[in-house]
Amino acid sequence: MRVREKNDLAGWFRFFLVGVTETARGGVATFDRIMKLQKDVDERLQALGSRAANAQKVAPAAIRNPIADAARIGKAAAVSPASAYKLIADLERLGLLKEITGGMRGKRYAFEPYLKLFR
């Protein structure tokens, strides 16, 4: 409004740049938290022993799409459906996946630690 009434283009520009700066700082802080989460996830996955390699294939896919079903998780890990369900159980036990549908069929899982970064 002040730009229109008083021709305060410099004031508007300062306001705009403050917004850009704050948004950039927030983005950098979120990126730092994502990097820390990736390190934490890698450390947790080491507890899975021989299944850690398959679980490590799921983590990047979960960051790209934090809500998934067993088929998507199995595809990301390149494992059979039975192995995907075992992997899901392991990831739930580690606190990395959380079942969010509450049903017996068509279950969907959330990569909960990642989603918490944006709440």
Side-chain angles (χ1 to χ4, degrees):
M1 195 104 149
R2 186 174 166 92
V3 172
R4 213 175 322 138
E5 294 172 0
K6 306 251 186 206
N7 201 23
D8 187 15
L9 191 57
W12 179 87
F13 194 63
R14 277 192 299 278
F15 169 78
F16 176 76
L17 289 178
V18 166
V20 168
T21 302
E22 289 177 9
T23 301
R25 283 187 184 133
V28 168
T30 300
F31 180 75
D32 286 342
R33 289 192 305 269
I34 291 170
M35 296 304 294
K36 287 177 186 173
L37 174 64
Q38 281 184 314
K39 187 175 182 178
D40 177 54
V41 167
D42 286 341
E43 289 172 5
R44 287 192 208 183
L45 293 179
Q46 296 309 310
L48 296 178
S50 63
R51 282 201 278 247
N54 286 337
Q56 287 172 334
K57 295 175 188 174
V58 173
I63 287 175
R64 283 190 303 276
N65 190 354
I67 307 293
D69 58 10
R72 180 171 282 164
I73 292 168
K75 185 177 179 182
V79 296
S80 70
S83 294
Y85 282 108
K86 289 177 186 175
L87 188 56
I88 289 167
D90 288 337
L91 294 172
E92 284 182 303
R93 186 175 41 80
L94 292 173
L96 297 175
L97 287 183
K98 180 181 179 184
E99 198 277 323
I100 57 173
T101 55
M104 293 300 293
R105 295 176 178 255
K107 291 182 177 183
R108 297 181 63 85
Y109 303 89
F111 185 29
E112 193 65 22
Y114 180 75
L115 292 176
K116 282 183 180 178
L117 296 177
F118 299 97
R119 290 185 189 141

